[in-house]
Amino acid sequence: MENKSYIFNSEIPYEVTGEGTKRKVLAYNDKMMAVENKFQKGAKGAPHKHPHLQLVYVPEGEFYFTLEGETKIIKKGDSVLVKENAIHSCECIEEGILLDIFSPMREDFIK
Amino acid sequence: MENKSYIFNSEIPYEVTGEGTKRKVLAYNDKMMAVENKFQKGAKGAPHKHPHLQLVYVPEGEFYFTLEGETKIIKKGDSVLVKENAIHSCECIEEGILLDIFSPMREDFIK
């Protein structure tokens, strides 16, 4: 799949990542990677950090998003810039998707 | 706005970019920038290129997307990787949004 230009969502299987959470790795190359994270209501993303720059966009749903100890509510069309090694977490208020774009790509998401 | 972590969509005004097209610059720093492009049905993005790497994601709507002469239909959840200086264009089939993520940021989109 790597370096394919077009990635059609329906052709990518979900990978279960936790209780009420699953993801699809979408288009990427070594410099940038898009990942859809689907959350059921109440599902959480535990606090974590990584050396990759991350941009979060909300295609649908509503979430509490916590960045370096500051929690805000984000919903459709909102975006968050998560700098390298910043601690972040989330909790789903209304079922939906968080789109993460990483730079560079997440090698650990590819088997 | 630069380097603000949280960008709430409702607080960003649209900028008209052409006939039936308008955009909002969302979260960004120097390395990455997210931009929503809203298209009315039939609106087009003319062929162009730029030195920035670009990842396109479809939050809603349906589009013809042409990359280096190859046209495919993309819709909700689909993504396209547009390499640096690759010629690309689009035409809106059903009203919607193309989310572009650029790396590095588009200096020319900031006044």
Side-chain angles (χ1 to χ4, degrees):
Chain A
M1 186 173 85
E2 186 165 8
N3 284 329
K4 274 182 65 175
S5 295
Y6 287 90
I7 299 296
F8 298 100
N9 200 288
S10 63
E11 297 176 2
I12 309 296
Y14 274 116
E15 176 188 357
V16 174
T17 51
E19 194 174 351
T21 63
K22 50 189 180 176
R23 76 171 166 230
K24 291 186 179 192
V25 174
L26 306 180
Y28 70 95
N29 69 0
D30 57 331
K31 296 176 189 166
M32 203 153 47
M33 173 184 270
V35 179
E36 271 192 355
N37 298 280
K38 177 95 174 172
F39 289 81
Q40 292 177 4
K41 187 172 179 169
K44 295 179 182 182
H48 67 292
K49 64 176 185 171
H50 43 68
H52 314 73
L53 176 64
Q54 178 179 349
L55 200 153
V56 181
Y57 174 86
V58 188
E60 58 185 77
E62 192 171 332
F63 300 84
Y64 293 113
F65 195 90
T66 302
L67 177 62
E68 294 181 310
E70 184 185 35
T71 301
K72 293 181 184 282
I73 291 175
I74 57 174
K75 56 188 179 184
K76 184 175 171 58
D78 293 339
S79 55
V80 188
L81 187 72
V82 179
K83 290 182 184 169
E84 297 87 341
N85 293 307
I87 297 175
H88 54 289
S89 59
C90 66
E91 180 176 343
C92 181
I93 301 168
E94 292 298 338
E95 180 176 328
I97 292 171
L98 291 182
L99 177 75
D100 291 333
I101 300 98
F102 298 100
S103 181
M105 70 169 280
R106 294 288 301 256
E107 293 275 1
D108 53 324
F109 284 2
I110 301 300
K111 292 178 184 87
Chain B
M1 185 174 84
E2 186 165 9
N3 284 329
K4 275 182 66 175
S5 296
Y6 287 90
I7 299 296
F8 298 100
N9 199 289
S10 63
E11 296 176 2
I12 309 295
Y14 274 117
E15 175 188 358
V16 174
T17 51
E19 194 175 349
T21 63
K22 50 189 180 176
R23 77 171 165 230
K24 291 186 179 192
V25 173
L26 306 179
Y28 72 95
N29 70 358
D30 57 330
K31 295 177 189 167
M32 204 153 47
M33 173 185 269
V35 179
E36 270 192 356
N37 298 281
K38 177 97 174 170
F39 289 80
Q40 291 177 4
K41 187 172 180 168
K44 295 179 183 181
H48 67 292
K49 65 176 185 171
H50 43 69
H52 315 72
L53 175 64
Q54 178 180 348
L55 200 152
V56 180
Y57 173 84
V58 189
E60 57 185 77
E62 191 171 333
F63 300 84
Y64 293 113
F65 196 89
T66 303
L67 177 61
E68 293 182 310
E70 184 185 35
T71 301
K72 293 181 184 283
I73 291 176
I74 57 174
K75 57 188 179 186
K76 184 173 172 59
D78 293 340
S79 54
V80 188
L81 187 73
V82 179
K83 290 181 184 169
E84 296 88 340
N85 293 307
I87 297 176
H88 53 291
S89 59
C90 67
E91 180 177 343
C92 180
I93 301 169
E94 292 298 339
E95 181 176 327
I97 292 171
L98 291 182
L99 178 73
D100 290 334
I101 300 97
F102 298 101
S103 181
M105 69 170 281
R106 293 288 301 254
E107 293 275 1
D108 52 323
F109 284 2
I110 302 300
K111 291 176 184 89

